[in-house]
Amino acid sequence: MPKPFMVVDWSDLFPLYEELVNRPLTNVAALERWILDCNEVDAAVNEEFGWRYINLTTNTSDRKSIKAYEEFVQNISPNVTNYAFQLNRKLITSSFLNKLDKKSYFVYVRSLRSAV
């Protein structure tokens, strides 16, 4: 993640998701790094949504907060959902998936398989 990182609209997230979708996974270490990077982007998106929701609900007459929340729901969230599916599928189909430590990744991989 670039530092500092701010999400204003989808254009801020698009390059991160594109990089993750297109990054080659050449070995187990690369797959593990990729998983960490996916989770970091996911955490940033969830935090951003959380703050927009908090700002909206604590001051329901603030037009700026309403607009920011609507931007997330209408434009960011649908794109994130699309990329999340692509990323989950990329992980599930990775030739290195079965080489991940089963004890560490079992629940995580199982949940992604269910999601896909």
Side-chain angles (χ1 to χ4, degrees):
M1 297 284 298
K3 305 277 185 208
F5 183 71
M6 289 188 58
V7 178
V8 176
D9 57 31
W10 173 243
S11 67
D12 298 313
L13 292 167
F14 176 75
L16 299 174
Y17 281 102
E18 276 294 300
E19 191 280 326
L20 291 168
V21 164
N22 294 311
R23 185 188 303 176
L25 303 175
T26 56
N27 55 46
V28 175
L31 178 59
E32 289 177 323
R33 178 76 250 167
W34 181 84
I35 290 169
L36 290 173
D37 292 346
C38 287
N39 287 334
E40 188 174 355
V41 172
D42 189 48
V45 169
N46 288 330
E47 182 178 359
E48 181 64 28
F49 176 74
W51 280 113
R52 289 185 190 206
Y53 183 76
I54 289 167
N55 291 335
L56 172 73
T57 58
T58 56
N59 187 356
T60 58
S61 62
D62 179 23
R63 298 301 304 159
K64 185 177 177 184
S65 294
I66 294 168
K67 184 175 170 125
Y69 179 79
E70 288 173 348
E71 168 66 23
F72 195 97
V73 170
Q74 294 172 359
N75 298 317
I76 296 173
S77 185
N79 286 304
V80 167
T81 300
N82 178 43
Y83 274 91
F85 179 76
Q86 290 179 58
L87 295 173
N88 291 345
R89 192 173 60 210
K90 181 173 181 165
L91 173 65
I92 298 303
T93 61
S94 170
S95 60
F96 300 103
L97 180 66
N98 292 329
K99 295 181 178 162
L100 290 172
D101 179 59
K102 301 223 184 316
K103 185 176 180 182
S104 299
Y105 289 97
F106 177 75
V107 174
Y108 178 69
V109 170
R110 182 182 63 190
S111 70
L112 291 182
R113 279 192 172 127
S114 295
V116 171

